[in-house]
Amino acid sequence: MGDIYGYYNSYSENDRLDRRRSRNLEKITTMHYLEPFLSKDKTLADIGCGTGAYCFELAGKTRSVTAVDLIDRHIAQIDERIAVEKTPNLKAHVASATDLVPLETASFDVAICLGPLYHLQKPDDRRRCLDECGRILRKDGILALSYINKQATVSYFAKNRKHFSRELVQAFEDDDYGAFSSFDDFLSIAYCTDPEAMADEAIQSGFCVMKNLAADGISYFISEQLEEMDESQWKAYVDYHLRHCEDENTFGMSSHGLLICRKG
């Protein structure tokens, strides 16, 4: 794997999901599917919280939120924002998604893991991450996890005129991300999968998969057109997406997938 610390210490996570509608759709979809499991008596863990794309909003919908991230700079930014916005029911810690030391066993009703699985290239690391999510959840707790869709990734690079050679296509099929060290910084630290494989890994860690869906559909590939919509057109598009994002025929070209699972 490439240098994940170096990548995120030089990349701005602050507004990643708000820069464009094509990115914001992922957050809209995720919040839509989380909403039924949120209430003021629930505790929530945000694993791989970045700079707080979700945890501040979720703190307003739950009793408490504990956020963890691998990058010290991200947690420092969250702590600064907690002080400014006076969010006493939100705590943040530096920790790896594969070893959630600060989080007690069976202490959360809901956990979200919306980023770590983008980077865990080794099966054993993904298993440890999923097992840790299961450990911190109470019985029947809910886990929302996101993943990068392998099929859409090839099209993403083609759209940006970064074309795979025959050798890179084979490396991608074989999960040989070391081959991409001189091709793309993110892909060298990424892990891409498909809906069925991600669901299988969750099941192997003792979760029941309730929903598997396309978090952002084809929005990235029509990002300019989405920006041209007026508010009523955008709302109509979002409504249509939410009605159909569970259709299996939408999975392949969605940049990000979302699993909603229940701890067995």
Side-chain angles (χ1 to χ4, degrees):
M1 181 183 286
D3 181 10
I4 190 169
Y5 292 95
Y7 181 87
Y8 279 105
N9 278 317
S10 61
Y11 177 81
S12 176
E13 272 281 301
N14 285 341
D15 60 349
R16 181 180 70 84
L17 293 175
D18 297 315
R19 288 175 200 158
R20 300 176 70 83
R21 284 170 167 171
S22 56
R23 293 179 180 269
N24 189 232
L25 186 62
E26 178 189 349
K27 184 175 182 180
I28 291 170
T29 305
T30 302
M31 289 301 298
H32 174 82
Y33 278 89
L34 279 176
E35 197 68 40
F37 308 107
L38 304 176
S39 61
K40 285 293 188 177
D41 62 339
K42 298 293 178 62
T43 55
L44 183 143
D46 185 352
I47 313 304
C49 59
T51 55
Y54 288 92
C55 61
F56 284 89
E57 183 174 352
L58 291 169
K61 296 175 178 287
T62 56
R63 187 177 74 197
S64 66
V65 172
T66 302
V68 301
D69 198 86
L70 188 64
I71 308 300
D72 299 72
R73 185 172 71 110
H74 292 170
I75 298 303
Q77 290 178 38
I78 287 178
D79 284 339
E80 290 174 7
R81 189 174 164 190
I82 288 172
V84 170
E85 298 186 13
K86 296 180 173 54
T87 316
N89 67 329
L90 172 57
K91 307 297 181 185
H93 306 276
V94 176
S96 168
T98 61
D99 188 13
L100 298 172
V101 175
L103 280 58
E104 295 182 6
T105 298
S107 55
F108 295 93
D109 302 296
V110 181
I112 63 173
C113 185
L114 306 176
L117 291 167
Y118 298 173
H119 301 294
L120 299 177
Q121 296 172 348
K122 297 178 180 178
D124 287 348
D125 287 340
R126 295 194 298 278
R127 180 61 184 262
R128 279 194 289 271
C129 173
L130 291 167
D131 285 350
E132 278 290 84
C133 289
R135 177 185 67 79
I136 66 171
L137 282 169
R138 296 187 175 99
K139 187 178 185 302
D140 295 325
I142 298 298
L143 172 65
L145 64 88
S146 60
Y147 58 91
I148 298 175
N149 195 327
K150 181 170 263 188
Q151 184 176 344
T153 301
V154 178
S155 298
Y156 167 90
F157 282 104
K159 184 177 187 294
N160 286 281
R161 297 179 175 83
K162 294 184 74 171
H163 304 303
F164 283 22
S165 65
R166 185 180 297 275
E167 292 75 18
L168 284 181
V169 167
Q170 188 59 55
F172 192 61
E173 294 280 16
D174 295 339
D175 292 333
D176 178 14
Y177 295 94
F180 292 88
S181 58
S182 61
F183 178 79
D184 181 80
D185 289 342
F186 182 80
L187 199 53
S188 70
I189 62 167
Y191 172 69
C192 306
T193 185
D194 61 63
E196 294 80 9
M198 193 70 261
D200 286 345
E201 291 197 50
I203 291 168
Q204 289 167 19
S205 286
F207 289 98
C208 172
V209 176
M210 302 162 65
K211 304 279 187 183
N212 194 349
L213 56 112
D216 45 9
I218 64 166
S219 63
Y220 177 77
F221 300 98
I222 56 169
S223 57
E224 297 301 327
Q225 290 80 2
L226 295 180
E227 294 301 317
E228 294 169 0
M229 292 178 177
D230 63 30
E231 284 299 320
S232 64
Q233 293 166 337
W234 168 237
K235 184 178 184 304
Y237 182 85
V238 170
D239 289 346
Y240 181 84
H241 166 77
L242 292 175
R243 285 197 301 274
H244 293 282
C245 60
E246 294 181 45
D247 298 352
E248 290 189 7
N249 60 10
T250 68
F251 288 176
M253 293 309 296
S254 183
S255 298
H256 300 89
L258 180 68
L259 284 184
I260 304 294
C261 308
R262 188 181 299 277
K263 180 179 175 178

